[in-house]
Amino acid sequence: MEIKVLKDILGANDQIAGNNRQLLDSNGIFAVNLMASPGAGKTSLILQTIKQLAGKASLGVIEGDVSSSIDAETIAKEGVPAVQINTGGECHLEAGMTRNALDNLPLKDIDILFIENVGNLICPVEFNLGEHKKVLIASVPEGDDKPVKYPAMFHEADAVVINKTDLLPYVKFDMDSFVKTIQELNGKANIFQVSCTTGQGIERWVSWLLAESKKKPA
Amino acid sequence: MEIKVLKDILGANDQIAGNNRQLLDSNGIFAVNLMASPGAGKTSLILQTIKQLAGKASLGVIEGDVSSSIDAETIAKEGVPAVQINTGGECHLEAGMTRNALDNLPLKDIDILFIENVGNLICPVEFNLGEHKKVLIASVPEGDDKPVKYPAMFHEADAVVINKTDLLPYVKFDMDSFVKTIQELNGKANIFQVSCTTGQGIERWVSWLLAESKKKPA
C-alpha cells in the first residue's frame, strides 16, 4: 500500500517532468538541474556562469530552498530573471513546483535555465524536473569520501563540478582518488575542477555548458 | 489519505523512539543525535571527542549512512564499539533502524552514545530516535546563510557546533552574524566554535557534553 503511494507520486512527477521538457524544448531552452550539499556553491557557480556567459547566452534561474529568498534576490541583482521556490519542509524539488516556476519566467527570452535544487546530496536525484542535464557540485572541504557515501547522485550526474579548489592547500583532500572514484561510479560524467572564489577553471565548465546547450532540439 | 500515511509513519517512529529512550535510560546511557550536512565533520567531531574523553567516559557510536561502512570502521579502529546502519536510499535515520543498532551494541559498557545521522540538513530532524540531545554541526565553508535557509534543524538543536574555524581566514564567513541568526532562531542552543583539525575549542564542547551526560536519569 505505502509502496503503491510512492509509485504514484514518482509516476505523477515523471508525467509533469515530461510536460516541463516539452515546454522547455518548445521555447528552445536548455535546462540544468543543479544539485549539491548545502553550501557547496550552487549559487556561486551560477553567478560565475552569468559573468562568463554575458553576451553569449541569456540565462534564467529557478532557486529551490526550504526557506528564504536570499538566492533569487542575489541572482536578480545581476539582471537575470529568477524565481524562488520555497518547498516548506520538502528536501527536494519536484516537477510540479518547477512547472509553477516556469509559468513565472519569461521563457521566450531564456537560452539556458539553471534549476538550483534544495541543498541535499540524496533525495533530489529521485525527482526528474524535465531538465536536459543533471549537474552535481561537490566541494573540496566536504571531503573526498562523498562519492562512496552518496553514490546515487554521483552515479546519475552528467557533470560533476568540484568547487572550492582554492581550499586544497588547507584541507585533507585527495583529488586523484576523488576523481577516480567518480569515474568508477559513472563513466559518462564530465568532471570540472573550479574555484568560484578565484574563477579558476570556470571557463572550461562554461564552454562545456554552452556546447551542450547548442545540442538542444531546435 | 497521503497525510494519514505520513502521520502513521511518524507516530510509529515516535513510539519506537520512546522504547529506545527507555532502553538507553535503563542502561544509564546518554545519547546524542548528531546531525549535519555531508562533510561538515560529524565523524571528525566524534574522533576528537573520543580522544578527549579517554578515561572519563565510555563511548559507543551508531553510524548512519546511505551507503558504505567507512565511518564505523574509522571509529572501531579507536577501540570504540561502533555499528553501521546503511539506510539504502533513505535520507535520515529512523527509530526502528536505531533500535536494530542498539541491539548490536554492548549497552552495559557505554556511558555516552553518539548516533551519527545521515548527512542531510533537512529531514533527520523530523525523526526522533530516542536521543537525549540533538546536536547540529555547521561548518564554516558551508557559508553563514545556512540558518536562514534550513531553519528547522537550527531551531530544534540543543547545541550547534560550528566546525572548521581553521578555515575562517580563507572563506567569506561572518561569525558574529551567524551566531546572532542562530540565537534568534533558537534561544536555548549552546553554541561551540571548534576546529576538528587543530583541536581548537574541543575542550569546551566536551565539558558541556560530559556535564549534560551526568544529568541523565540514574
Side-chain angles (χ1 to χ4, degrees):
Chain A
M1 176 64 179
E2 277 141 313
I3 290 170
K4 190 167 177 301
V5 172
L6 183 64
K7 270 193 179 165
D8 286 349
I9 290 171
L10 287 173
N13 184 78
D14 278 346
Q15 200 175 344
I16 303 170
N19 297 341
N20 288 350
R21 174 69 82 95
Q22 282 180 359
L23 182 64
L24 292 164
D25 286 344
S26 68
N27 282 279
I29 297 174
F30 176 73
V32 173
N33 182 356
L34 209 56
M35 302 179 290
S37 298
K42 295 180 291 299
T43 313
S44 302
L45 185 70
I46 294 173
L47 288 171
Q48 281 283 356
T49 307
I50 288 172
K51 216 192 311 183
Q52 292 271 339
L53 281 181
K56 292 180 194 156
S58 298
L59 298 190
V61 178
I62 296 173
E63 287 288 345
D65 278 296
V66 172
S67 184
S68 95
S69 59
I70 299 176
D71 285 348
E73 288 163 26
T74 306
I75 299 298
K77 269 186 206 152
E78 303 297 315
V80 169
V83 172
Q84 179 79 49
I85 301 173
N86 278 166
T87 65
E90 286 294 321
C91 60
H92 57 270
L93 291 183
E94 295 182 13
M97 305 174 190
T98 307
R99 177 52 187 254
N100 289 344
L102 289 173
D103 288 341
N104 285 284
L105 279 169
L107 300 181
K108 289 276 167 234
D109 304 336
I110 295 172
D111 301 319
I112 299 176
L113 175 71
F114 281 111
I115 309 170
E116 181 181 329
N117 221 306
V118 178
N120 179 339
L121 212 47
I122 306 166
C123 311
V125 78
E126 304 269 340
F127 293 83
N128 290 321
L129 308 178
E131 74 274 3
H132 298 87
K133 296 286 176 191
K134 290 186 201 297
V135 174
L136 164 55
I137 306 182
S139 70
V140 163
E142 289 173 68
D144 52 26
D145 58 356
K146 291 302 156 289
V148 181
K149 288 190 181 170
Y150 305 87
M153 200 175 280
F154 283 89
H155 185 262
E156 295 300 318
D158 297 293
V160 177
V161 178
I162 308 173
N163 187 24
K164 307 196 190 182
T165 55
D166 55 294
L167 295 178
L168 280 169
Y170 312 115
V171 298
K172 222 180 115 189
F173 188 94
D174 183 335
M175 183 63 84
D176 290 343
S177 144
F178 189 69
V179 168
K180 199 170 154 241
T181 313
I182 297 170
Q183 285 167 336
E184 281 165 6
L185 272 166
N186 179 348
K188 75 169 199 276
N190 294 271
I191 300 177
F192 303 95
Q193 298 181 30
V194 311
S195 163
C196 290
T197 301
T198 67
Q200 202 184 9
I202 296 290
E203 262 190 54
R204 221 187 117 234
W205 147 254
V206 171
S207 299
W208 176 82
L209 182 72
L210 203 55
E212 289 297 321
S213 77
K214 289 181 176 157
K215 292 183 193 165
K216 69 177 187 277
Chain B
M1 176 62 179
E2 277 141 313
I3 289 171
K4 190 167 177 299
V5 172
L6 183 64
K7 270 193 180 165
D8 286 349
I9 290 171
L10 287 174
N13 184 78
D14 279 345
Q15 200 175 343
I16 303 170
N19 297 342
N20 288 351
R21 174 70 81 94
Q22 282 179 359
L23 183 64
L24 292 164
D25 286 343
S26 68
N27 283 280
I29 296 174
F30 176 73
V32 173
N33 181 356
L34 209 55
M35 302 180 290
S37 297
K42 296 180 290 301
T43 312
S44 302
L45 185 69
I46 295 173
L47 288 171
Q48 281 283 357
T49 307
I50 289 172
K51 216 192 311 184
Q52 292 270 341
L53 281 180
K56 292 181 192 155
S58 296
L59 298 189
V61 177
I62 296 173
E63 288 288 345
D65 278 296
V66 172
S67 184
S68 94
S69 59
I70 298 176
D71 286 348
E73 287 163 26
T74 306
I75 299 297
K77 270 186 205 150
E78 302 297 316
V80 168
V83 173
Q84 179 79 48
I85 301 173
N86 279 165
T87 65
E90 286 294 320
C91 60
H92 58 270
L93 291 183
E94 294 182 14
M97 306 173 188
T98 307
R99 177 53 187 254
N100 289 344
L102 289 174
D103 289 342
N104 286 285
L105 280 169
L107 299 182
K108 290 277 169 232
D109 304 336
I110 295 172
D111 301 318
I112 299 176
L113 176 71
F114 282 111
I115 308 169
E116 182 180 328
N117 221 307
V118 178
N120 179 340
L121 212 46
I122 305 167
C123 311
V125 77
E126 304 269 339
F127 294 83
N128 290 321
L129 307 177
E131 74 275 2
H132 298 87
K133 296 285 176 193
K134 289 186 201 297
V135 174
L136 164 54
I137 306 182
S139 71
V140 163
E142 289 173 68
D144 51 27
D145 58 356
K146 292 301 156 289
V148 181
K149 288 191 182 168
Y150 305 86
M153 201 175 280
F154 281 90
H155 185 263
E156 295 300 318
D158 297 292
V160 177
V161 178
I162 308 172
N163 187 24
K164 308 196 191 182
T165 55
D166 55 294
L167 295 178
L168 279 169
Y170 313 114
V171 299
K172 222 179 115 189
F173 188 93
D174 183 335
M175 182 64 83
D176 290 343
S177 143
F178 189 69
V179 168
K180 198 169 154 242
T181 313
I182 297 170
Q183 286 168 336
E184 281 166 6
L185 273 166
N186 180 346
K188 74 168 201 278
N190 295 270
I191 301 176
F192 303 95
Q193 297 182 29
V194 311
S195 163
C196 291
T197 301
T198 68
Q200 203 184 8
I202 297 290
E203 262 191 55
R204 220 187 117 234
W205 147 254
V206 170
S207 298
W208 175 81
L209 182 72
L210 204 55
E212 288 298 320
S213 77
K214 289 182 177 156
K215 292 183 192 165
K216 69 177 187 279

